[in-house]
Amino acid sequence: MLALTFLLSPVGRSSVASTLDWFIQTAEAVTEFPCKIVTDIRHFSLDRLDPTCPQCF
């Protein structure tokens, strides 16, 4: 009964909403991390290692 009263109060609803928002943002960051690694590897250019490349200086 006490938990139901807490969830029905405005403070309880806002705390539940902020917790869910935090959980969604965390899950999104965890799922995006492998994609960022693959994307960075795919866009890696060997021109950076070329001493004659004018963009490297």
Side-chain angles (χ1 to χ4, degrees):
M1 186 70 171
L2 185 60
L4 183 62
T5 305
F6 178 71
L7 289 177
L8 293 177
S9 71
V11 174
R13 279 183 273 164
S14 71
S15 66
V16 168
S18 66
T19 303
L20 287 175
D21 184 43
W22 174 82
F23 178 75
I24 290 170
Q25 288 177 359
T26 303
E28 199 172 270
V30 167
T31 56
E32 286 180 3
F33 182 69
C35 296
K36 285 185 178 184
I37 291 174
V38 171
T39 303
D40 288 343
I41 290 173
R42 200 174 341 144
H43 293 295
F44 180 75
S45 174
L46 292 177
D47 289 339
R48 294 180 184 178
L49 303 176
D50 184 12
T52 60
C53 176
Q55 298 165 346
C56 300
F57 298 112

